[in-house]
Protein backbone atom coordinates (compact mmCIF):
# COMPACT_ATOMS: atom_id res chain seq x y z
CA UNK A 1 0.00 0.00 0.00
CA UNK A 2 1.41 3.33 -0.98
CA UNK A 3 -0.50 5.65 1.32
CA UNK A 4 -3.45 5.42 3.64
CA UNK A 5 -5.72 7.80 5.52
CA UNK A 6 -8.00 6.93 8.44
CA UNK A 7 -10.58 9.68 9.01
CA UNK A 8 -8.24 12.03 7.17
CA UNK A 9 -5.13 11.22 9.23
CA UNK A 10 -2.11 9.47 7.74
CA UNK A 11 -1.75 6.11 9.46
CA UNK A 12 -1.36 2.45 8.60
CA UNK A 13 -3.22 1.19 11.69
CA UNK A 14 -6.78 0.85 13.00
CA UNK A 15 -8.26 -0.15 16.36
CA UNK A 16 -8.62 -3.87 17.05
CA UNK A 17 -12.13 -3.06 18.27
CA UNK A 18 -13.24 -1.84 14.82
CA UNK A 19 -16.36 -3.74 13.76
CA UNK A 20 -14.97 -4.04 10.24
CA UNK A 21 -12.40 -6.44 11.68
CA UNK A 22 -14.69 -7.99 14.31
CA UNK A 23 -17.64 -8.78 12.00
CA UNK A 24 -16.94 -7.45 8.50
CA UNK A 25 -19.40 -4.72 9.50
CA UNK A 26 -18.82 -2.24 6.69
CA UNK A 27 -18.52 -1.55 2.97
CA UNK A 28 -15.86 -0.82 0.38
CA UNK A 29 -15.26 0.59 -3.08
CA UNK A 30 -12.34 0.04 -5.44
CA UNK A 31 -11.97 2.99 -7.80
CA UNK A 32 -9.78 3.20 -10.91
CA UNK A 33 -7.58 6.26 -11.19
CA UNK A 34 -7.07 6.50 -14.93
CA UNK A 35 -5.49 9.41 -16.85
CA UNK A 36 -5.50 11.23 -13.51
CA UNK A 37 -9.29 10.83 -13.15
CA UNK A 38 -11.23 9.02 -10.42
CA UNK A 39 -13.40 7.08 -12.84
CA UNK A 40 -17.12 6.57 -12.18
CA UNK A 41 -16.76 8.44 -8.88
CA UNK A 42 -20.48 9.19 -8.62
CA UNK A 43 -21.43 5.55 -9.30
CA UNK A 44 -19.07 4.39 -6.55
CA UNK A 45 -20.45 6.96 -4.10
CA UNK A 46 -24.04 6.03 -4.94
CA UNK A 47 -23.38 2.33 -4.33
CA UNK A 48 -21.44 3.08 -1.13
CA UNK A 49 -24.30 5.23 0.16
CA UNK A 50 -26.87 2.60 -0.79
CA UNK A 51 -24.79 0.05 1.15
CA UNK A 52 -24.60 2.35 4.17
CA UNK A 53 -28.35 2.80 4.14
CA UNK A 54 -28.88 -0.96 3.86
CA UNK A 55 -26.61 -1.61 6.86
CA UNK A 56 -27.84 1.49 8.74
CA UNK A 57 -24.36 2.98 8.84
CA UNK A 58 -24.33 6.81 8.59
CA UNK A 59 -23.57 7.85 5.00
CA UNK A 60 -20.07 9.34 4.72
CA UNK A 61 -19.47 12.95 3.69
CA UNK A 62 -18.77 12.78 -0.04
CA UNK A 63 -16.76 16.01 -0.07
CA UNK A 64 -14.41 14.61 2.60
CA UNK A 65 -13.97 11.36 0.67
CA UNK A 66 -13.23 13.27 -2.53
CA UNK A 67 -10.80 15.60 -0.76
CA UNK A 68 -8.94 12.65 0.72
CA UNK A 69 -8.89 10.69 -2.54
CA UNK A 70 -7.56 13.77 -4.35
CA UNK A 71 -4.92 14.32 -1.66
CA UNK A 72 -3.64 10.76 -2.06
CA UNK A 73 -3.69 10.84 -5.86
CA UNK A 74 -2.22 14.33 -6.41
CA UNK A 75 0.12 14.12 -9.41
CA UNK A 76 -0.63 10.41 -9.90
CA UNK A 77 -1.94 9.36 -13.33
CA UNK A 78 -2.86 5.74 -12.77
CA UNK A 79 -3.64 3.77 -9.64
CA UNK A 80 -6.35 2.21 -7.53
CA UNK A 81 -8.13 4.09 -4.74
CA UNK A 82 -9.85 1.91 -2.18
CA UNK A 83 -12.40 3.32 0.24
CA UNK A 84 -13.56 1.34 3.27
CA UNK A 85 -16.36 2.55 5.55
CA UNK A 86 -16.83 0.54 8.75
CA UNK A 87 -19.44 1.03 11.46
CA UNK A 88 -16.59 1.92 13.84
CA UNK A 89 -16.01 0.51 17.30
CA UNK A 90 -18.45 -0.35 20.02
CA UNK A 91 -21.76 -2.03 20.59
CA UNK A 92 -22.33 -5.19 22.55
CA UNK A 93 -21.52 -8.26 20.54
CA UNK A 94 -23.29 -8.25 17.19
CA UNK A 95 -25.59 -5.45 18.30
CA UNK A 96 -24.41 -2.19 16.74
CA UNK A 97 -23.84 0.83 18.97
CA UNK A 98 -26.83 3.17 19.22
CA UNK A 99 -24.91 6.04 17.67
CA UNK A 100 -22.25 4.60 15.42
CA UNK A 101 -19.13 6.64 14.66
CA UNK A 102 -18.01 5.10 11.37
CA UNK A 103 -14.39 4.85 10.33
CA UNK A 104 -13.41 6.17 6.89
CA UNK A 105 -10.38 4.59 5.26
CA UNK A 106 -8.94 5.82 1.95
CA UNK A 107 -5.91 4.08 0.48
CA UNK A 108 -3.92 4.34 -2.74
CA UNK A 109 -2.53 1.24 -4.47
CA UNK A 110 -0.45 0.70 -7.58
CA UNK A 111 -2.19 -0.21 -10.82
CA UNK A 112 -2.22 -3.98 -11.37
CA UNK A 113 -0.38 -5.15 -14.49
CA UNK A 114 -2.92 -7.16 -16.42
CA UNK A 115 -1.57 -8.60 -19.72
CA UNK A 116 -2.51 -6.33 -22.66
CA UNK A 117 -3.62 -9.40 -24.64
CA UNK A 118 -6.48 -9.96 -22.18
CA UNK A 119 -8.26 -6.89 -23.54
CA UNK A 120 -7.72 -7.77 -27.23
CA UNK A 121 -7.93 -11.52 -27.60
CA UNK A 122 -9.86 -12.24 -24.41
CA UNK A 123 -9.37 -14.22 -21.22
CA UNK A 124 -9.93 -17.75 -20.00
CA UNK A 125 -12.71 -18.18 -17.47
CA UNK A 126 -13.14 -21.20 -15.21
CA UNK A 127 -16.00 -22.50 -13.08
CA UNK A 128 -15.58 -22.21 -9.30
CA UNK A 129 -16.76 -24.88 -6.90
CA UNK A 130 -17.36 -22.33 -4.13
CA UNK A 131 -20.92 -21.08 -4.32
CA UNK A 132 -22.49 -17.75 -3.39
CA UNK A 133 -25.01 -17.91 -0.53
CA UNK A 134 -28.29 -16.13 -1.31
CA UNK A 135 -29.43 -13.30 0.90
CA UNK A 136 -31.50 -10.39 -0.43
CA UNK A 137 -30.51 -8.34 2.66
CA UNK A 138 -26.89 -8.29 1.49
CA UNK A 139 -27.23 -8.68 -2.30
CA UNK A 140 -25.97 -5.98 -4.64
CA UNK A 141 -23.99 -3.94 -2.11
CA UNK A 142 -20.21 -4.18 -1.72
CA UNK A 143 -19.96 -5.16 1.93
CA UNK A 144 -16.91 -6.49 3.77
CA UNK A 145 -18.12 -10.12 4.10
CA UNK A 146 -16.07 -11.57 1.24
CA UNK A 147 -15.03 -15.05 2.34
CA UNK A 148 -16.92 -16.65 -0.55
CA UNK A 149 -14.83 -14.66 -3.02
CA UNK A 150 -11.62 -15.42 -1.11
CA UNK A 151 -12.35 -19.17 -1.14
CA UNK A 152 -13.35 -19.08 -4.81
CA UNK A 153 -10.20 -17.17 -5.80
CA UNK A 154 -8.10 -19.71 -3.91
CA UNK A 155 -9.32 -22.47 -6.23
CA UNK A 156 -6.80 -21.77 -8.99
CA UNK A 157 -3.30 -20.35 -9.39
CA UNK A 158 -2.78 -20.79 -13.15
CA UNK A 159 -1.95 -17.24 -14.39
CA UNK A 160 -3.50 -18.13 -17.76
CA UNK A 161 -6.92 -18.18 -16.09
CA UNK A 162 -8.16 -14.64 -15.44
CA UNK A 163 -11.37 -15.26 -13.61
CA UNK A 164 -13.70 -17.84 -12.05
CA UNK A 165 -17.45 -17.97 -12.54
CA UNK A 166 -19.57 -18.39 -9.43
CA UNK A 167 -23.00 -19.96 -9.07
CA UNK A 168 -25.55 -19.56 -6.30
CA UNK A 169 -26.76 -22.50 -4.24
CA UNK A 170 -29.34 -23.38 -6.91
CA UNK A 171 -26.76 -23.51 -9.68
CA UNK A 172 -27.73 -20.20 -11.28
CA UNK A 173 -24.84 -18.18 -12.73
CA UNK A 174 -24.31 -14.95 -10.75
CA UNK A 175 -20.91 -13.34 -11.40
CA UNK A 176 -17.16 -13.97 -11.36
CA UNK A 177 -15.03 -13.60 -8.22
CA UNK A 178 -14.35 -9.90 -8.83
CA UNK A 179 -16.32 -9.14 -12.00
CA UNK A 180 -19.84 -9.11 -13.35
CA UNK A 181 -20.80 -11.20 -16.36
CA UNK A 182 -22.51 -10.26 -19.62
CA UNK A 183 -23.64 -12.70 -22.31
CA UNK A 184 -24.38 -11.96 -25.92
CA UNK A 185 -27.22 -14.44 -26.29
CA UNK A 186 -29.96 -14.71 -28.83
CA UNK A 187 -29.23 -11.26 -30.27
CA UNK A 188 -29.26 -9.39 -26.97
CA UNK A 189 -27.09 -8.66 -23.97
CA UNK A 190 -27.98 -10.62 -20.83
CA UNK A 191 -26.58 -10.11 -17.34
CA UNK A 192 -27.53 -12.11 -14.25
CA UNK A 193 -30.13 -10.79 -11.84
CA UNK A 194 -28.44 -9.81 -8.56
CA UNK A 195 -31.43 -9.47 -6.27
CA UNK A 196 -30.42 -12.47 -4.13
CA UNK A 197 -26.62 -12.43 -4.33
CA UNK A 198 -23.69 -10.81 -6.10
CA UNK A 199 -22.29 -7.29 -6.25
CA UNK A 200 -23.89 -4.74 -8.58
CA UNK A 201 -20.72 -3.44 -10.24
CA UNK A 202 -20.17 0.13 -11.37
CA UNK A 203 -19.01 -0.89 -14.87
CA UNK A 204 -21.99 -3.27 -15.05
CA UNK A 205 -24.20 -0.22 -14.49
CA UNK A 206 -22.25 1.76 -17.08
CA UNK A 207 -22.59 -1.04 -19.67
CA UNK A 208 -26.34 -1.16 -19.03
CA UNK A 209 -26.65 2.59 -19.50
CA UNK A 210 -24.50 2.68 -22.64
CA UNK A 211 -26.44 -0.25 -24.10
CA UNK A 212 -29.66 1.69 -23.56
CA UNK A 213 -28.22 4.80 -25.26
CA UNK A 214 -27.08 2.68 -28.18
CA UNK A 215 -30.42 0.83 -28.37
CA UNK A 216 -28.76 -2.53 -27.75
CA UNK A 217 -31.40 -4.83 -26.23
CA UNK A 218 -30.39 -5.89 -22.70
CA UNK A 219 -32.06 -8.20 -20.25
CA UNK A 220 -31.42 -8.71 -16.54
CA UNK A 221 -32.50 -12.26 -15.76
CA UNK A 222 -31.68 -15.60 -14.24
CA UNK A 223 -28.81 -17.17 -16.20
CA UNK A 224 -28.04 -20.87 -16.46
CA UNK A 225 -24.70 -22.54 -17.16
CA UNK A 226 -26.28 -23.89 -20.34
CA UNK A 227 -26.94 -20.33 -21.54
CA UNK A 228 -23.34 -19.35 -20.77
CA UNK A 229 -22.07 -22.31 -22.80
CA UNK A 230 -24.37 -21.49 -25.71
CA UNK A 231 -23.76 -17.73 -25.75
CA UNK A 232 -22.29 -16.08 -28.84
CA UNK A 233 -19.93 -14.04 -26.69
CA UNK A 234 -19.17 -13.35 -23.05
CA UNK A 235 -17.50 -10.45 -21.32
CA UNK A 236 -16.64 -9.52 -17.75
CA UNK A 237 -16.81 -6.07 -16.17
CA UNK A 238 -14.84 -4.69 -13.23
CA UNK A 239 -13.97 -1.17 -12.07
CA UNK A 240 -10.25 -1.71 -12.70
CA UNK A 241 -10.22 -3.97 -15.78
CA UNK A 242 -13.21 -2.32 -17.48
CA UNK A 243 -14.55 -4.71 -20.13
CA UNK A 244 -12.70 -8.04 -20.40
CA UNK A 245 -13.79 -10.22 -23.34
CA UNK A 246 -13.88 -13.97 -22.62
CA UNK A 247 -12.27 -16.23 -25.20
CA UNK A 248 -12.83 -19.49 -23.37
CA UNK A 249 -14.99 -20.93 -20.57
CA UNK A 250 -14.25 -24.56 -19.74
CA UNK A 251 -13.98 -26.15 -23.21
CA UNK A 252 -16.18 -23.63 -25.01
CA UNK A 253 -14.51 -20.96 -27.15
CA UNK A 254 -16.18 -17.64 -27.97
CA UNK A 255 -15.86 -15.06 -30.73
CA UNK A 256 -14.64 -11.94 -28.96
CA UNK A 257 -15.14 -9.85 -32.11
CA UNK A 258 -18.91 -10.21 -31.84
CA UNK A 259 -19.02 -7.92 -28.79
CA UNK A 260 -20.32 -4.56 -30.13
CA UNK A 261 -17.25 -2.37 -30.76
CA UNK A 262 -19.16 0.87 -30.25
CA UNK A 263 -20.27 -0.30 -26.82
CA UNK A 264 -16.70 -1.09 -25.77
CA UNK A 265 -15.44 2.23 -27.12
CA UNK A 266 -18.09 4.26 -25.33
CA UNK A 267 -17.53 2.39 -22.04
CA UNK A 268 -13.77 2.92 -22.34
CA UNK A 269 -14.35 6.63 -22.94
CA UNK A 270 -16.16 6.86 -19.58
CA UNK A 271 -13.32 4.91 -17.98
CA UNK A 272 -10.68 7.28 -19.41
CA UNK A 273 -8.91 4.46 -21.25
CA UNK B 1 -11.81 -3.75 26.01
CA UNK B 2 -9.60 -4.27 29.03
CA UNK B 3 -6.48 -5.66 27.43
CA UNK B 4 -5.40 -6.92 24.05
CA UNK B 5 -2.50 -8.80 22.53
CA UNK B 6 -1.57 -8.97 18.85
CA UNK B 7 0.83 -11.83 18.21
CA UNK B 8 1.78 -11.68 21.88
CA UNK B 9 2.47 -7.93 21.95
CA UNK B 10 0.32 -5.51 23.91
CA UNK B 11 -1.36 -3.15 21.46
CA UNK B 12 -4.80 -1.85 20.61
CA UNK B 13 -4.08 -1.48 16.88
CA UNK B 14 -3.75 -3.63 13.74
CA UNK B 15 -2.65 -2.93 10.16
CA UNK B 16 -5.28 -1.50 7.80
CA UNK B 17 -4.06 -4.08 5.29
CA UNK B 18 -5.14 -7.00 7.49
CA UNK B 19 -7.43 -9.31 5.53
CA UNK B 20 -9.68 -9.65 8.57
CA UNK B 21 -10.68 -6.02 8.01
CA UNK B 22 -10.47 -6.08 4.20
CA UNK B 23 -12.60 -9.22 3.64
CA UNK B 24 -13.55 -10.74 6.99
CA UNK B 25 -10.87 -13.31 6.14
CA UNK B 26 -10.49 -15.05 9.48
CA UNK B 27 -12.12 -16.74 12.46
CA UNK B 28 -12.93 -16.04 16.09
CA UNK B 29 -13.78 -17.68 19.40
CA UNK B 30 -15.49 -16.18 22.44
CA UNK B 31 -14.49 -18.07 25.58
CA UNK B 32 -16.06 -17.78 29.02
CA UNK B 33 -13.65 -17.29 31.91
CA UNK B 34 -15.63 -18.66 34.81
CA UNK B 35 -14.36 -19.35 38.34
CA UNK B 36 -10.93 -18.52 36.92
CA UNK B 37 -11.21 -21.29 34.30
CA UNK B 38 -11.13 -20.93 30.50
CA UNK B 39 -14.24 -23.05 29.95
CA UNK B 40 -14.45 -25.57 27.10
CA UNK B 41 -10.97 -24.48 25.97
CA UNK B 42 -10.37 -27.66 23.94
CA UNK B 43 -13.76 -27.34 22.17
CA UNK B 44 -12.96 -23.76 21.20
CA UNK B 45 -9.52 -24.72 19.92
CA UNK B 46 -10.91 -27.66 17.95
CA UNK B 47 -13.52 -25.45 16.24
CA UNK B 48 -10.94 -22.72 15.60
CA UNK B 49 -8.57 -25.23 14.02
CA UNK B 50 -11.37 -26.76 11.94
CA UNK B 51 -12.19 -23.25 10.71
CA UNK B 52 -8.55 -22.58 9.85
CA UNK B 53 -8.37 -25.81 7.86
CA UNK B 54 -11.60 -24.93 6.03
CA UNK B 55 -10.24 -21.49 5.07
CA UNK B 56 -6.69 -22.79 4.50
CA UNK B 57 -5.27 -20.50 7.18
CA UNK B 58 -2.33 -22.03 9.08
CA UNK B 59 -3.58 -23.46 12.39
CA UNK B 60 -2.38 -21.32 15.34
CA UNK B 61 -0.03 -22.67 18.01
CA UNK B 62 -2.35 -23.72 20.83
CA UNK B 63 0.33 -23.34 23.50
CA UNK B 64 0.89 -19.70 22.46
CA UNK B 65 -2.84 -18.99 22.55
CA UNK B 66 -3.15 -20.57 25.99
CA UNK B 67 -0.12 -18.69 27.29
CA UNK B 68 -1.55 -15.40 26.05
CA UNK B 69 -5.05 -16.10 27.36
CA UNK B 70 -3.56 -17.01 30.76
CA UNK B 71 -1.42 -13.87 30.77
CA UNK B 72 -4.46 -11.66 30.18
CA UNK B 73 -6.65 -13.46 32.71
CA UNK B 74 -4.10 -13.84 35.52
CA UNK B 75 -5.91 -13.22 38.80
CA UNK B 76 -9.24 -12.66 37.01
CA UNK B 77 -12.15 -14.90 38.06
CA UNK B 78 -14.80 -13.99 35.52
CA UNK B 79 -14.58 -12.46 32.07
CA UNK B 80 -14.71 -13.12 28.33
CA UNK B 81 -11.64 -14.00 26.28
CA UNK B 82 -11.97 -13.39 22.56
CA UNK B 83 -9.52 -14.89 20.10
CA UNK B 84 -9.38 -13.70 16.48
CA UNK B 85 -7.20 -15.39 13.87
CA UNK B 86 -6.94 -13.55 10.54
CA UNK B 87 -5.09 -14.62 7.42
CA UNK B 88 -2.84 -11.57 7.91
CA UNK B 89 -1.93 -9.00 5.28
CA UNK B 90 -1.14 -9.41 1.63
CA UNK B 91 -2.29 -11.19 -1.47
CA UNK B 92 -3.71 -9.54 -4.54
CA UNK B 93 -7.35 -8.66 -4.10
CA UNK B 94 -9.38 -11.62 -2.90
CA UNK B 95 -6.58 -14.03 -3.75
CA UNK B 96 -4.81 -15.01 -0.52
CA UNK B 97 -1.04 -14.66 -0.29
CA UNK B 98 0.87 -17.85 -1.16
CA UNK B 99 2.35 -18.07 2.31
CA UNK B 100 0.00 -16.42 4.75
CA UNK B 101 1.34 -15.02 8.02
CA UNK B 102 -1.78 -15.03 10.17
CA UNK B 103 -2.43 -12.50 12.89
CA UNK B 104 -3.34 -13.77 16.34
CA UNK B 105 -5.44 -11.45 18.52
CA UNK B 106 -6.33 -12.28 22.12
CA UNK B 107 -8.46 -9.82 24.11
CA UNK B 108 -10.07 -9.79 27.55
CA UNK B 109 -13.51 -8.28 28.11
CA UNK B 110 -15.68 -7.81 31.17
CA UNK B 111 -18.41 -10.36 31.90
CA UNK B 112 -21.79 -9.18 30.52
CA UNK B 113 -24.48 -8.69 33.16
CA UNK B 114 -27.35 -10.86 32.06
CA UNK B 115 -30.37 -10.74 34.38
CA UNK B 116 -30.33 -13.67 36.84
CA UNK B 117 -34.02 -14.31 36.11
CA UNK B 118 -33.16 -15.30 32.54
CA UNK B 119 -31.57 -18.50 33.79
CA UNK B 120 -34.40 -19.41 36.17
CA UNK B 121 -37.67 -18.35 34.60
CA UNK B 122 -36.48 -18.19 31.00
CA UNK B 123 -36.16 -15.58 28.26
CA UNK B 124 -38.33 -14.15 25.52
CA UNK B 125 -37.28 -15.08 21.98
CA UNK B 126 -38.42 -13.25 18.84
CA UNK B 127 -38.35 -14.12 15.15
CA UNK B 128 -35.87 -12.17 13.00
CA UNK B 129 -36.67 -11.02 9.48
CA UNK B 130 -33.01 -11.21 8.44
CA UNK B 131 -32.27 -14.65 7.04
CA UNK B 132 -29.10 -16.75 6.98
CA UNK B 133 -27.67 -17.43 3.53
CA UNK B 134 -26.85 -21.08 2.93
CA UNK B 135 -23.31 -22.07 2.08
CA UNK B 136 -21.85 -25.45 3.07
CA UNK B 137 -18.33 -24.01 2.53
CA UNK B 138 -18.81 -21.64 5.45
CA UNK B 139 -21.36 -23.47 7.60
CA UNK B 140 -20.50 -24.56 11.13
CA UNK B 141 -17.29 -22.57 11.54
CA UNK B 142 -17.08 -19.26 13.40
CA UNK B 143 -15.70 -17.02 10.66
CA UNK B 144 -15.57 -13.24 10.62
CA UNK B 145 -18.35 -12.68 8.04
CA UNK B 146 -21.10 -11.80 10.49
CA UNK B 147 -23.22 -9.13 8.79
CA UNK B 148 -26.29 -11.36 8.88
CA UNK B 149 -26.05 -11.56 12.67
CA UNK B 150 -25.40 -7.81 12.95
CA UNK B 151 -28.47 -7.00 10.83
CA UNK B 152 -30.60 -9.51 12.74
CA UNK B 153 -29.49 -8.14 16.13
CA UNK B 154 -30.35 -4.61 14.96
CA UNK B 155 -33.98 -5.61 14.52
CA UNK B 156 -34.93 -5.09 18.18
CA UNK B 157 -33.87 -2.98 21.13
CA UNK B 158 -36.41 -4.11 23.76
CA UNK B 159 -34.24 -5.33 26.67
CA UNK B 160 -37.02 -7.78 27.62
CA UNK B 161 -36.23 -9.77 24.47
CA UNK B 162 -33.07 -11.81 24.92
CA UNK B 163 -32.60 -13.35 21.51
CA UNK B 164 -33.86 -13.55 17.94
CA UNK B 165 -34.45 -16.75 15.99
CA UNK B 166 -33.04 -16.88 12.46
CA UNK B 167 -34.25 -18.89 9.49
CA UNK B 168 -32.42 -19.85 6.33
CA UNK B 169 -33.63 -18.79 2.89
CA UNK B 170 -36.01 -21.75 2.77
CA UNK B 171 -37.64 -20.86 6.08
CA UNK B 172 -35.97 -23.63 8.09
CA UNK B 173 -35.06 -22.72 11.66
CA UNK B 174 -31.27 -22.61 12.14
CA UNK B 175 -30.19 -20.76 15.30
CA UNK B 176 -30.50 -17.48 17.19
CA UNK B 177 -28.26 -14.48 16.51
CA UNK B 178 -25.60 -15.60 18.99
CA UNK B 179 -26.95 -18.91 20.30
CA UNK B 180 -27.87 -22.38 19.16
CA UNK B 181 -31.37 -23.75 19.66
CA UNK B 182 -32.61 -26.96 21.25
CA UNK B 183 -36.22 -28.16 21.28
CA UNK B 184 -37.79 -30.69 23.59
CA UNK B 185 -40.14 -32.19 21.05
CA UNK B 186 -41.99 -35.46 20.98
CA UNK B 187 -40.02 -36.83 23.96
CA UNK B 188 -36.56 -36.06 22.59
CA UNK B 189 -34.10 -33.22 22.21
CA UNK B 190 -33.86 -31.79 18.69
CA UNK B 191 -31.34 -29.26 17.41
CA UNK B 192 -31.19 -27.86 13.86
CA UNK B 193 -28.82 -29.37 11.33
CA UNK B 194 -26.02 -26.89 10.57
CA UNK B 195 -24.54 -28.40 7.44
CA UNK B 196 -25.64 -25.46 5.24
CA UNK B 197 -25.54 -22.51 7.63
CA UNK B 198 -25.14 -21.54 11.26
CA UNK B 199 -22.34 -21.81 13.79
CA UNK B 200 -21.74 -25.12 15.57
CA UNK B 201 -21.52 -23.80 19.15
CA UNK B 202 -19.27 -25.22 21.84
CA UNK B 203 -22.10 -25.49 24.38
CA UNK B 204 -24.27 -27.09 21.68
CA UNK B 205 -21.58 -29.76 21.40
CA UNK B 206 -21.42 -30.11 25.19
CA UNK B 207 -25.21 -30.53 25.43
CA UNK B 208 -25.12 -33.22 22.75
CA UNK B 209 -22.36 -35.08 24.59
CA UNK B 210 -24.05 -34.82 27.99
CA UNK B 211 -27.36 -35.94 26.48
CA UNK B 212 -25.62 -39.02 25.10
CA UNK B 213 -24.04 -39.80 28.50
CA UNK B 214 -27.43 -39.42 30.16
CA UNK B 215 -29.18 -41.51 27.49
CA UNK B 216 -31.46 -38.62 26.53
CA UNK B 217 -32.54 -39.18 22.92
CA UNK B 218 -31.28 -36.37 20.67
CA UNK B 219 -31.77 -35.74 17.00
CA UNK B 220 -29.97 -33.33 14.66
CA UNK B 221 -32.41 -32.52 11.90
CA UNK B 222 -34.18 -29.90 9.83
CA UNK B 223 -36.47 -27.88 12.12
CA UNK B 224 -39.57 -25.97 11.06
CA UNK B 225 -41.18 -22.97 12.75
CA UNK B 226 -44.20 -25.18 13.33
CA UNK B 227 -42.06 -27.60 15.35
CA UNK B 228 -40.67 -24.72 17.40
CA UNK B 229 -44.19 -23.51 18.16
CA UNK B 230 -45.35 -27.01 19.13
CA UNK B 231 -42.29 -27.92 21.21
CA UNK B 232 -42.75 -28.79 24.90
CA UNK B 233 -39.73 -26.66 25.77
CA UNK B 234 -36.97 -24.63 24.11
CA UNK B 235 -33.54 -23.59 25.26
CA UNK B 236 -30.65 -21.64 23.80
CA UNK B 237 -26.96 -22.35 24.22
CA UNK B 238 -24.03 -19.96 24.04
CA UNK B 239 -20.46 -20.05 25.37
CA UNK B 240 -21.10 -17.13 27.73
CA UNK B 241 -24.73 -17.67 28.77
CA UNK B 242 -24.52 -21.47 28.88
CA UNK B 243 -28.07 -22.85 28.79
CA UNK B 244 -30.85 -20.23 28.58
CA UNK B 245 -34.39 -21.61 28.91
CA UNK B 246 -36.99 -19.95 26.66
CA UNK B 247 -40.26 -18.99 28.32
CA UNK B 248 -41.84 -17.37 25.26
CA UNK B 249 -41.44 -17.30 21.48
CA UNK B 250 -43.85 -14.96 19.72
CA UNK B 251 -47.15 -15.71 21.47
CA UNK B 252 -46.29 -19.26 22.52
CA UNK B 253 -45.33 -19.89 26.13
CA UNK B 254 -43.22 -22.86 27.20
CA UNK B 255 -42.74 -24.81 30.41
CA UNK B 256 -39.12 -24.20 31.36
CA UNK B 257 -39.31 -26.83 34.12
CA UNK B 258 -39.62 -29.62 31.56
CA UNK B 259 -35.97 -29.18 30.49
CA UNK B 260 -34.12 -32.09 32.17
CA UNK B 261 -32.58 -30.74 35.38
CA UNK B 262 -29.76 -33.27 35.38
CA UNK B 263 -28.72 -32.17 31.90
CA UNK B 264 -28.58 -28.50 32.95
CA UNK B 265 -26.64 -29.36 36.10
CA UNK B 266 -24.09 -31.44 34.27
CA UNK B 267 -23.60 -28.79 31.55
CA UNK B 268 -23.18 -26.08 34.21
CA UNK B 269 -20.58 -28.23 35.94
CA UNK B 270 -18.50 -28.26 32.74
CA UNK B 271 -18.99 -24.49 32.45
CA UNK B 272 -17.80 -23.93 36.05
CA UNK B 273 -21.06 -22.29 37.05
Amino acid sequence: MNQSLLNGEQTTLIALTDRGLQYGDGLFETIALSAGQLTLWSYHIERLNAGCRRLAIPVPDESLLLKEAELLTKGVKQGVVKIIITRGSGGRGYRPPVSAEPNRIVTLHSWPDYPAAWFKTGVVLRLCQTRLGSNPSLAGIKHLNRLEQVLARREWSDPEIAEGLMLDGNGQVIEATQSNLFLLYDGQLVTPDLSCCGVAGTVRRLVMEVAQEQAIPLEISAVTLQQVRQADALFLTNAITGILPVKQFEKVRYDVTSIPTLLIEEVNKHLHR
Side-chain angles (χ1 to χ4, degrees), chain A:
Chain A
M1 195 186 298
N2 303 20
Q3 280 181 278
S4 51
L5 299 174
L6 170 62
N7 302 324
E9 304 285 331
Q10 271 205 323
T11 178
T12 59
L13 301 171
I14 190 166
L16 287 169
T17 51
D18 188 88
R19 294 174 62 96
L21 172 67
Q22 299 279 327
Y23 307 123
D25 193 1
L27 301 141
F28 71 110
E29 293 292 331
T30 307
I31 303 167
L33 179 80
S34 198
Q37 303 288 315
L38 292 162
T39 61
L40 303 185
W41 174 262
S42 65
Y43 290 18
H44 285 287
I45 292 298
E46 285 172 28
R47 181 175 60 184
L48 182 62
N49 290 352
C52 285
R53 283 189 292 270
R54 189 92 71 83
L55 303 185
I57 292 174
V59 164
D61 182 333
E62 183 187 342
S63 62
L64 275 182
L65 282 176
L66 185 58
K67 198 181 89 181
E68 289 162 12
E70 285 176 345
L71 185 72
L72 286 186
T73 59
K74 203 174 173 182
V76 182
K77 286 290 168 216
Q78 203 179 34
V80 176
V81 172
K82 185 167 178 176
I83 295 172
I84 299 179
I85 301 293
T86 76
R87 201 185 301 271
S89 293
R92 177 158 160 184
Y94 295 131
R95 188 178 181 185
V98 178
S99 49
E101 289 186 30
N103 278 320
R104 185 177 75 250
I105 303 161
V106 185
T107 54
L108 175 64
H109 308 256
S110 56
W111 187 261
D113 287 319
Y114 294 112
W118 281 13
F119 302 90
K120 287 176 193 156
T121 55
V123 300
V124 178
L125 178 67
R126 72 186 291 280
L127 180 63
C128 292
Q129 294 304 306
T130 306
R131 300 287 182 101
L132 291 164
S134 290
N135 196 335
S137 302
L138 297 175
I141 62 174
K142 205 165 167 78
H143 56 69
L144 292 174
N145 280 197
R146 293 294 157 207
L147 271 174
E148 291 170 334
Q149 283 77 13
V150 170
L151 291 184
R153 189 58 192 82
R154 261 200 85 244
E155 290 183 24
W156 82 97
S157 55
D158 181 351
E160 297 299 311
I161 299 173
E163 256 287 27
L165 204 57
M166 297 185 74
L167 313 178
D168 69 8
N170 299 318
Q172 296 288 313
V173 175
I174 304 297
E175 61 188 8
T177 65
Q178 59 166 18
S179 322
N180 291 114
L181 176 74
F182 285 83
L183 293 70
L184 197 65
Y185 185 86
D186 204 13
Q188 63 176 0
L189 284 175
V190 180
T191 192
D193 175 66
L194 304 180
S195 53
C196 288
C197 51
V199 177
T202 52
V203 179
R204 175 179 182 267
R205 174 177 163 188
L206 177 62
V207 166
M208 295 195 293
E209 291 175 357
V210 169
Q212 190 166 29
E213 282 164 21
Q214 296 185 346
I216 299 170
L218 187 146
E219 195 188 14
I220 300 169
S221 67
V223 171
T224 65
L225 265 178
Q226 184 74 349
Q227 280 175 289
V228 172
R229 292 187 187 113
Q230 293 175 347
D232 296 316
L234 299 180
F235 63 89
L236 301 168
T237 61
N238 165 293
I240 311 304
T241 57
I243 288 181
L244 266 185
V246 175
K247 68 177 179 187
Q248 190 179 333
F249 169 62
E250 298 179 304
K251 284 169 182 166
V252 188
R253 297 189 69 89
Y254 303 85
D255 175 15
V256 302
T257 65
S258 60
I259 303 167
T261 311
L262 282 178
L263 177 89
I264 297 177
E265 284 175 1
E266 184 63 19
V267 166
N268 283 341
K269 208 181 288 174
H270 285 273
L271 300 178
H272 307 284
R273 307 287 160 90

